[in-house]
Amino acid sequence: MTGRTYSVSLTVNGRPHTLDVPAHHTLLRALREQLDLVGTKECCTEGECGACTVLVDGQAVDSCLMLAVEAAGAEITTIEGLADGDRLDPLQAAFLETGAVQCGFCTPGMIMTARYLLAQDPHPTRAAVQEGISGNLCRCGGYNRIVDAVLAAAEAESS
Amino acid sequence: MTAGASPFGQSIARVGGVERVTGAQRFTADLKLDGVLHVKLVHLPVGHARIIAVDTSDALEVAGVQHVLSAADLPQPVPRFGPASRDRPVIASGEVKYFGEPVAAVAAESEDAAAEAAALVRVEYEELPGVYSIEEALAEGAPLVQHPDLRGDTPLAHTNLLGEWHFGWGDVDATRADVVIEGTYSFPMVSHFAIEPFATMAAVQDGVVTVWSPIQHPFVLQRVIADVVGLPVSSVRIIAPDAGGAFGGKGYPKYEPLMAFLALRTGRPVRLVLSLEESFQASRRAACTVRARTGFDREGGLCFQDLEADFLIGAYADIGARVVSKASYTASGPYRTPNVRIVARGVLSHTVPSTAFRGFGVPQLAWAVESQLAEAARRLGLDPLELRARNLARKGEDFIPGDTPADGDWEQALRRAAQAVAWDTPAPAGRGRGLAMGLKSSATVSVSNAIVRLHHDGSVSVLVGTSDMGQGARTVLSQVAADELGIPVDGVRVVMGDTSVVPFDTSTSASRSSVFSGNAIGLACRDLRGQLCSIAAELYGEPEEEIRVDGGRVHVHGEGLAYGALLKDYFGPSRGELIGVGRCRARYLPEHPLGGAPSFWELVAVACEVEVDETTGEILIHKLVTVSDVGKAINPQHVEMQDEGAAVMGLGHTLMEHLILDEGGRISNLGALDYRIPTSRDLPLEMATFMVENQDGPGPYGAKGAGESGILAVAPAVAAAVQAATGVRIRDLPLTPERVWRALMEKGLSEQPIV
Amino acid sequence: MRDWTRPATSHDIVSTFAYHRPGTIAELWQLLAESAQGVKLLAGGTDLLVPVNKGTELPRVVIDLKRLDLLRSDISAVGGHLRVGALNVLTDLIGDPRIGRHFPALLEAAAAVGSVQIRNRATLVGNICNASPAADTAPALLVFGAVVNILGSRGERSVPLEEFFLGPGLTVLQPAEIVTSIDLPLPPEVNGSAFVRVTRRRGFDLGTVSVSCLLVPGAAARFGFGAVAPRPLLAVDDTITLGDPDADPTEQSEALDHLLEVSSPISDLRASRDYRLAMLASLSRRALQLAAQRLRSARNGAAA
């Protein structure tokens, strides 16, 4: 493509990458289009739905609200980076157990937010989880099973 | 039928669950095609306009742009399509009839180039007066949304009425009632807001047009594409990746025909991913105004229901006529009403085409009818629970004369819901409780086919034309097959979503798939079992009647053979497979108002307890309970998940969701910022879903369908509870804090200042 | 909405912008001097990226402030106040025990902004520079007497927050100026503050109306109002009756009504003017009551 691009070096799921991106491309687009990491989803592109949530240096952020160029030097974790080969992350396993997955479109964002929440507080209350995932919209389910899953994972991880 | 633990009735793990939690699941926008061109749509900031000229010259100058298509590029007259009538042009032709109707489509090597070029397409247009509400559309001298010539042979061609339906029985006017409740109720335009925005791709190769779309009804899309492009159905292939939520909004074709033409024009695969805002402009629920008169005798027995329902359809019919007629036909609800008159109208308007939306018109009508019952209970001094119980049709009762009788113990659901909110105890101070019920007709005339292939190693492929949009069809249907063949569910792979591979299925809608596809699979499996007996008889010289298929084995001469072993003996080293075919069809009845009788009834009872902040108007839901009559849950967890999701979606239109139009017909709250849907913080403090399972449905093991009941009656239950708590009666949705506050003010309950 | 009269441009894709990430203030002034129009400063990005993503407003130049050494500091105690730096995000604020201890209403306001994903990126300074009339942190900052520290190519200046906002999206910032920090004067030990608002749903939302209140014994009660005027407002009760637990309730009511007269709410997509007026009055009373309660607790705590 034509137009100015910038070279951005970053680490994604433990692997170093150097990307050439125009300034206006968001981190979300760079992940999906250049790194083929399509697990992170695009929906509202204005920070209202959380479908694009990833971890940037351990912080849960809406990747649609970050320019790819801002991610220079950062360590990004996406949904693809959670499982260890065939071994699912406890959150992933818990989501399956409790029936927290229906269409699955909100799921990657939910799990990344939950990963962050549990890193901040390994023993959250139900209310804290409900508050914590309130930036992730789900239209299929009623959120309760997602909250159940996060609490179940918290318990599994602490034992 | 099967020995050992059958997966039927078990909450087994979701098929495709692992892919969804690891990010491996491929939704339509995640798919990549070599050489694909990215498409962006050009639309105008108007509700209704005449298109004077489309100038693509600047757009074509942008590097990477391959084609800019507008109506002029298409065969003339511009081809039209629609699931019911061919009214919708592939792209806006001469006129923009709704806010968001595409006027041009740019195909370019990159999304950026397409977006850049789309902004450079110059459209000269003249804004025209439009009709954006029922009143405006029906007013004297209102501009016609559709040209009479395109309306076909109908006396309504010179009006904005898409159709008018009359249903009922008895004689309402001749009936005397002790108490008559009258009210006018409104239900707003609501957006599906699936988290996956709409996306589609198309490609042409070797005379075959392939379209990728998260479409719920691949065979409808196949038929429409074939028709609009002028190809035989066998030359059109639809690949339907699982949808990221659909709820009816991805049922019928929207921009796929446009994409097919673009693929044909450019000779390249083309890809369109709508923004969330554009998805809002692509589909919605029909808004509805209901004028209701309900007559009761002094003891609370229903004497008559007199209903007039106007549905605000969009600029094109889509499946609007079906929504209006099907919902209105059962508008009187699950009750025994001796005299019923229903007049329902579908009104065209210059707005986003309304389409199917979970509940298919019933939530709009239940909002009115159930609110009427709540009002009646107050007026008569009766318990709303007993008022309903008294009038509920009993199992087997012919409550809609001549049609499918009541097929469940509906009072059981009602009382279960009431019990769950401790209905027979006084509500805590400051709180109120409400009850409501909802009834929906399931599928009528339709057909599902299933092909079950028993491979030479004993594994099984089940080919069905149903779609999985999150409701778990893949899982449920694999359970049915596994149960029928007596094999572990791991040995079954369900194949969906490719019309070149799977057999015809009418649609994934009306909660029909568990029953129809389930039955078809059952029949196909029985066909297979018959074939197994037959080849065993041939191989081993035992009479066929003495051979049994049970527990995953073929029992011959006292020995139980694995399927694979039998097939090996039969086909020899060059292998083979057995193919079972099944079809489940509901008869087409031309004289029936719905084209066929409902296969089963979907019924829900809802109970809730709320508290209202009388200063701000905010509603706090302490408890929300739904009870669905499902016959037999094939996968109980899946049913619960669907019911919960449906209930929360119902809270959306109850408390906060409504599309707001400005005076020019543009959606003002376009997008996630100002169109609010429930988040995890908007949940009731306690929520529960229950099922009544009496195995009295037409599906496998007495299953009925599920998935829509949860949304049908949330709104009237909450409004009744609000009235119980505060005394205010509100007849318009959503019950936003401001609306509740205003009602309280008018009632004099909220005085300033209050802390 | 797209601009339909946009003239033809070059063949290249121009819907992008230049991006700079200066490491020193001198570089920043240089960049600002070079670029005449269409410059946007980038900190958290939660405001800037929305029009960029929607294609409604594309800057020509984006200057990312996050590498400027001058701005990279933690929340610090400076003299008699707490200094929140330009790059401190709302999550930092919420997690800082000093904010919770001295400025609880500000903590509540910050916690009400967006989601956890937004708060991990959005800066307090960015929130006020965006100057939305509905900025949730503004009412609380106003009652606490926040002061905005501004650095320009020509030097520094400080502006009380109530003079900082000029209108929707407008502040006193000149083209070659940035906000380096916000100072929050520590209130007296014994005080009571509150933050209340009403929204369209319980899930995160812009405030339909938001109110903050600060009571300090013997001093004028201070109120901050959001979403009821073209800019967030500070209203101070000169009569001193509102903070006085022994004052006549009628006089208090009149004093509060008088304070509310500064507001000029409008009807918009989110609410009507009527509702906003009513909620402003009700929420102010709630905020006052809550602040008074907290003041009483603080008094009892101090006395114990």
Side-chain angles (χ1 to χ4, degrees):
Chain A
M1 65 166 282
T2 53
R4 171 100 198 255
T5 62
Y6 297 83
S7 176
V8 181
S9 293
L10 68 173
T11 308
V12 183
N13 299 331
R15 285 215 197 93
H17 295 277
T18 301
L19 305 175
D20 260 317
V21 286
H24 71 284
H25 277 204
T26 59
L27 176 60
L28 174 63
R29 284 189 68 176
L31 290 170
R32 287 180 56 83
E33 292 170 25
Q34 298 206 22
L35 294 178
D36 230 4
L37 293 168
V38 293
T40 308
K41 303 305 179 195
E42 180 170 304
C43 175
C44 78
T45 71
E46 55 182 345
E48 292 289 329
C49 75
C52 66
T53 307
V54 298
L55 301 184
V56 176
D57 295 328
Q59 303 286 95
V61 304
D62 293 319
S63 59
C64 72
L65 292 185
M66 247 184 95
L67 299 175
V69 288
E70 288 182 85
E75 280 192 35
I76 316 286
T77 311
T78 70
I79 187 70
E80 291 94 339
L82 282 196
D84 181 10
D86 272 342
R87 229 189 19 195
L88 294 178
D89 176 291
L91 273 168
Q92 293 170 313
F95 266 63
L96 290 175
E97 260 303 303
T98 66
V101 180
Q102 293 194 46
C103 83
F105 202 82
C106 78
T107 305
M110 281 286 183
I111 291 179
M112 296 317 290
T113 298
R115 186 77 269 150
Y116 168 76
L117 292 177
L118 292 183
Q120 301 302 113
D121 178 4
H123 306 285
T125 60
R126 190 172 188 91
V129 176
Q130 233 170 319
E131 163 72 43
I133 64 166
S134 63
N136 290 78
L137 295 177
C138 172
R139 198 56 160 157
C140 290
Y143 298 106
N144 275 322
R145 286 171 192 267
I146 292 172
V147 176
D148 291 342
V150 179
L151 294 172
E155 180 145 349
E157 287 183 333
S158 62
S159 53
Chain B
M1 190 172 304
T2 55
S6 159
F8 197 96
Q10 303 299 314
S11 294
I12 66 159
R14 171 181 298 274
V15 174
V18 173
E19 289 78 359
R20 283 161 170 82
V21 297
T22 57
Q25 182 69 23
R26 289 292 176 263
F27 296 88
T28 306
D30 300 330
L31 299 175
K32 295 192 149 83
L33 293 175
D34 280 338
V36 78
L37 291 175
H38 300 270
V39 177
K40 290 283 180 195
L41 300 177
V42 176
H43 34 84
L44 304 178
V46 287
H48 183 214
R50 185 168 69 89
I51 301 167
I52 299 167
V54 179
D55 180 357
T56 62
S57 49
D58 289 339
L60 286 165
E61 297 281 291
V62 174
V65 170
Q66 292 298 338
H67 196 81
V68 183
L69 186 140
S70 62
D73 292 323
L74 292 170
Q76 302 296 320
V78 168
R80 291 174 185 267
F81 68 96
S85 57
R86 292 188 188 85
D87 61 341
R88 181 166 174 167
V90 170
I91 203 167
S93 173
E95 220 177 297
V96 163
K97 289 194 195 277
Y98 67 89
F99 178 58
E101 185 168 19
V103 174
V106 176
E109 301 289 350
S110 71
E111 280 190 47
D112 283 346
E116 175 103 355
L120 292 174
V121 172
R122 234 97 56 85
V123 183
E124 201 188 330
Y125 64 91
E126 179 198 349
E127 201 166 343
L128 296 173
V131 293
Y132 309 115
S133 69
I134 292 167
E135 295 71 38
E136 287 173 10
L138 297 179
E140 182 100 7
L144 291 182
V145 177
Q146 289 197 17
H147 197 282
D149 291 350
L150 292 167
R151 292 290 305 275
D153 194 15
T154 162
L156 301 171
H158 287 85
T159 71
N160 283 323
L161 281 175
L162 174 66
E164 184 169 315
W165 292 265
H166 294 251
F167 302 119
W169 53 88
D171 189 341
V172 168
D173 290 329
T175 310
R176 296 194 146 272
D178 293 325
V179 170
V180 176
I181 311 289
E182 271 192 64
T184 301
Y185 301 84
S186 78
F187 194 110
M189 285 191 206
V190 166
S191 173
H192 297 79
F193 200 153
I195 310 300
E196 178 204 27
F198 186 73
T200 178
M201 300 196 293
V204 185
Q205 188 159 31
D206 300 330
V208 172
V209 172
T210 303
V211 175
W212 289 257
S213 169
I215 194 96
Q216 294 166 241
H217 322 318
F219 291 90
V220 172
L221 181 58
Q222 185 191 39
R223 160 171 69 83
V224 164
I225 298 287
D227 181 66
V228 87
V229 160
L231 285 173
V233 162
S234 52
S235 294
V236 175
R237 179 182 184 191
I238 307 300
I239 296 177
D242 289 1
F247 319 112
K250 291 170 179 158
Y252 298 97
K254 295 167 185 51
Y255 303 127
E256 295 90 340
L258 171 60
M259 294 295 282
F261 276 102
L262 261 174
L264 286 165
R265 272 286 180 287
T266 59
R268 302 249 315 254
V270 287
R271 172 182 181 265
L272 171 67
V273 179
L274 295 189
S275 66
L276 183 65
E277 288 79 8
E278 288 174 318
S279 299
F280 272 53
Q281 294 170 300
S283 75
R284 65 168 175 85
R285 192 192 278 282
C288 187
T289 303
V290 180
R291 288 173 296 282
R293 283 179 61 243
T294 319
F296 298 83
D297 63 34
R298 219 167 295 281
E299 287 80 45
L302 271 165
C303 298
F304 70 83
Q305 289 199 50
D306 191 6
L307 305 168
E308 284 175 13
D310 287 333
F311 286 80
L312 189 70
I313 307 297
Y316 303 107
D318 195 270
I319 201 70
R322 182 82 178 154
V323 171
V324 175
S325 61
K326 192 167 184 222
S328 304
Y329 180 66
T330 62
S332 52
Y335 306 107
R336 177 187 320 112
T337 316
N339 303 280
V340 170
R341 175 170 57 209
I342 300 163
V343 176
R345 302 188 295 184
V347 181
L348 294 165
S349 61
H350 294 109
T351 60
V352 168
S354 64
T355 185
F357 194 141
R358 202 174 200 171
F360 213 69
V362 172
Q364 295 94 312
L365 291 165
W367 165 237
V369 170
E370 292 296 307
S371 294
Q372 290 279 94
L373 287 170
E375 188 55 33
R378 290 178 85 84
R379 198 87 79 76
L380 291 164
L382 293 174
D383 180 345
L385 169 61
E386 295 311 327
L387 177 67
R388 282 182 176 79
R390 161 194 297 273
N391 290 294
L392 261 184
R394 278 180 272 283
K395 191 164 180 175
E397 196 172 335
D398 196 33
F399 73 109
I400 295 180
D403 214 315
T404 308
D407 63 356
D409 184 351
W410 293 343
E411 189 171 333
Q412 187 183 350
L414 173 65
R415 293 202 180 271
R416 185 74 188 85
Q419 176 200 50
V421 297
W423 185 263
D424 55 352
T425 67
R431 297 193 207 167
R433 296 194 186 120
L435 271 183
M437 299 188 79
L439 176 90
K440 180 182 182 292
S441 161
S442 72
T444 59
V445 52
S446 64
V447 64
S448 288
N449 291 291
I451 296 172
V452 181
R453 297 170 60 189
L454 177 59
H455 303 293
H456 54 82
D457 63 349
S459 67
V460 167
S461 292
V462 176
L463 281 47
V464 280
T466 298
S467 307
D468 196 330
M469 47 188 169
Q471 87 283 31
R474 232 179 257 284
T475 314
V476 165
L477 296 177
S478 66
Q479 288 172 267
V480 172
D483 173 77
E484 285 282 343
L485 294 172
I487 59 176
V489 97
D490 291 344
V492 177
R493 178 169 290 276
V494 175
V495 179
M496 292 174 163
D498 184 339
T499 57
S500 292
V501 174
V502 303
F504 185 96
D505 187 296
T506 302
S507 64
T508 305
S509 62
S511 312
R512 64 183 285 283
S513 305
S514 295
V515 169
F516 280 75
S517 287
N519 281 346
I521 291 170
L523 290 167
C525 290
R526 263 159 254 164
D527 176 5
L528 274 177
R529 299 211 312 268
Q531 291 180 50
L532 286 165
C533 290
S534 162
I535 66 176
E538 186 189 313
L539 273 178
Y540 310 117
E542 175 124 339
E544 227 177 287
E545 318 79 64
E546 317 230 335
I547 300 174
R548 277 185 312 117
V549 178
D550 191 18
R553 289 187 173 256
V554 184
H555 297 273
V556 188
H557 296 317
E559 224 190 299
L561 289 169
Y563 298 152
L566 178 55
L567 292 183
K568 190 171 173 196
D569 280 352
Y570 185 72
F571 287 109
S574 59
R575 309 288 199 280
E577 70 180 34
L578 295 183
I579 300 170
V581 175
R583 178 177 64 218
C584 177
R585 176 187 76 112
R587 289 185 55 210
Y588 174 50
L589 301 172
E591 345 73 50
H592 192 289
L594 301 183
S599 309
F600 60 89
W601 297 107
E602 226 180 320
L603 177 113
V604 71
V606 181
C608 69
E609 185 178 292
V610 312
E611 188 183 333
V612 178
D613 180 332
E614 294 188 0
T615 303
T616 62
E618 288 166 302
I619 297 170
L620 176 63
I621 303 182
H622 282 266
K623 289 184 196 159
L624 179 68
V625 172
T626 66
V627 182
S628 295
D629 180 64
V630 301
K632 174 75 184 167
I634 301 174
N635 186 319
Q637 191 187 57
H638 274 44
V639 175
E640 283 163 16
M641 288 157 65
Q642 279 283 293
D643 276 357
E644 286 163 18
V648 172
M649 193 175 248
L651 283 180
H653 66 237
T654 302
L655 299 176
M656 63 186 78
E657 290 183 44
H658 54 151
L659 287 167
I660 300 168
L661 299 188
D662 68 15
E663 65 297 330
R666 289 166 289 250
I667 300 172
S668 302
N669 57 339
L670 186 69
L673 179 62
D674 280 315
Y675 184 89
R676 289 324 215 176
I677 67 171
T679 70
S680 56
R681 293 184 61 199
D682 295 290
L683 297 177
L685 298 182
E686 276 176 58
M687 216 174 99
T689 55
F690 300 102
M691 296 180 282
V692 167
E693 292 182 86
N694 290 328
Q695 294 180 259
D696 44 11
Y701 292 106
K704 295 173 182 170
E708 289 180 89
S709 59
I711 201 175
L712 300 176
V714 172
V718 172
V722 167
Q723 183 167 23
T726 64
V728 294
R729 178 184 58 220
I730 303 173
R731 294 190 172 130
D732 305 299
L733 289 173
L735 306 175
T736 58
E738 180 169 339
R739 176 165 275 137
V740 175
W741 168 79
R742 214 170 274 287
L744 289 165
M745 290 289 287
E746 274 154 31
K747 199 173 155 88
L749 281 185
S750 187
E751 310 140 18
Q752 294 310 312
I754 290 184
V755 184
Chain C
M1 288 297 150
R2 292 204 175 89
D3 175 0
W4 297 99
T5 61
R6 205 164 130 189
T9 55
S10 73
H11 292 224
D12 287 349
I13 292 164
V14 296
S15 301
T16 186
F17 43 82
Y19 170 82
H20 301 282
R21 198 174 44 216
T24 69
I25 283 289
E27 282 175 54
L28 174 63
W29 301 144
Q30 177 74 18
L31 284 166
L32 287 173
E34 282 166 12
S35 330
Q37 300 243 34
V39 178
K40 287 285 183 181
L41 301 177
L42 171 65
T46 56
D47 288 319
L48 177 63
L49 258 73
V50 177
V52 165
N53 285 341
K54 299 302 172 191
T56 52
E57 195 195 315
L58 222 54
R60 289 197 188 282
V61 177
V62 167
I63 302 176
D64 189 340
L65 302 173
K66 295 194 284 294
R67 283 283 175 87
L68 286 172
D69 283 327
L70 183 73
L71 300 180
R72 297 167 81 152
S73 62
D74 295 330
I75 299 171
S76 52
V78 179
H81 43 252
L82 216 53
R83 177 164 289 174
V84 178
L87 298 179
N88 295 136
V89 298
L90 296 179
T91 298
D92 295 338
L93 215 78
I94 293 162
D96 192 314
R98 296 168 295 182
I99 297 286
R101 179 157 164 248
H102 299 291
F103 309 100
L106 177 59
L107 187 143
E108 287 160 1
V113 173
S115 60
V116 72
Q117 293 96 315
I118 299 268
R119 294 192 295 273
N120 281 344
R121 298 285 296 173
T123 61
L124 184 68
V125 167
N127 197 218
I128 66 148
C129 289
N130 191 49
S132 160
D136 281 305
T137 58
L141 289 169
L142 284 167
V143 301
F144 288 119
V147 174
V148 184
N149 298 318
I150 299 170
L151 177 65
S153 49
R154 274 174 253 243
E156 299 175 43
R157 62 188 179 114
S158 291
V159 174
L161 186 63
E162 61 264 30
E163 292 166 28
F164 181 76
F165 301 114
L166 294 178
L170 285 175
T171 69
V172 297
L173 283 178
Q174 296 300 301
E177 283 188 319
I178 60 167
V179 173
T180 54
S181 59
I182 296 173
D183 282 342
L184 295 165
L186 293 171
E189 192 68 33
V190 175
N191 73 72
S193 70
F195 172 77
V196 295
R197 64 178 200 156
V198 69
T199 50
R200 294 168 292 184
R201 65 177 183 191
R202 283 166 206 281
F204 80 93
D205 203 357
L206 295 163
T208 301
V209 172
S210 52
V211 177
S212 193
C213 175
L214 174 67
L215 295 179
V216 170
R222 294 165 69 88
F223 286 82
F225 302 135
V228 292
R231 54 195 183 93
L233 298 175
L234 173 68
V236 179
D237 173 36
D238 294 322
T239 68
I240 319 268
T241 54
L242 289 173
D244 179 1
D246 302 318
D248 175 66
T250 315
E251 279 179 32
Q252 281 196 323
S253 193
E254 280 171 14
L256 188 55
D257 287 340
H258 178 66
L259 280 190
L260 300 179
E261 283 164 17
V262 294
S263 69
S264 55
I266 56 171
S267 293
D268 66 9
L269 213 48
R270 286 173 206 118
S272 71
R273 185 173 168 276
D274 282 351
Y275 184 66
R276 284 200 161 102
L277 279 170
M279 291 307 104
L280 180 62
S282 302
L283 292 185
S284 297
R285 282 166 170 83
R286 271 194 187 165
L288 178 61
Q289 217 184 39
L290 193 50
Q293 238 172 282
R294 288 177 174 171
L295 174 59
R296 275 196 296 280
S297 303
R299 274 195 164 122
N300 296 340

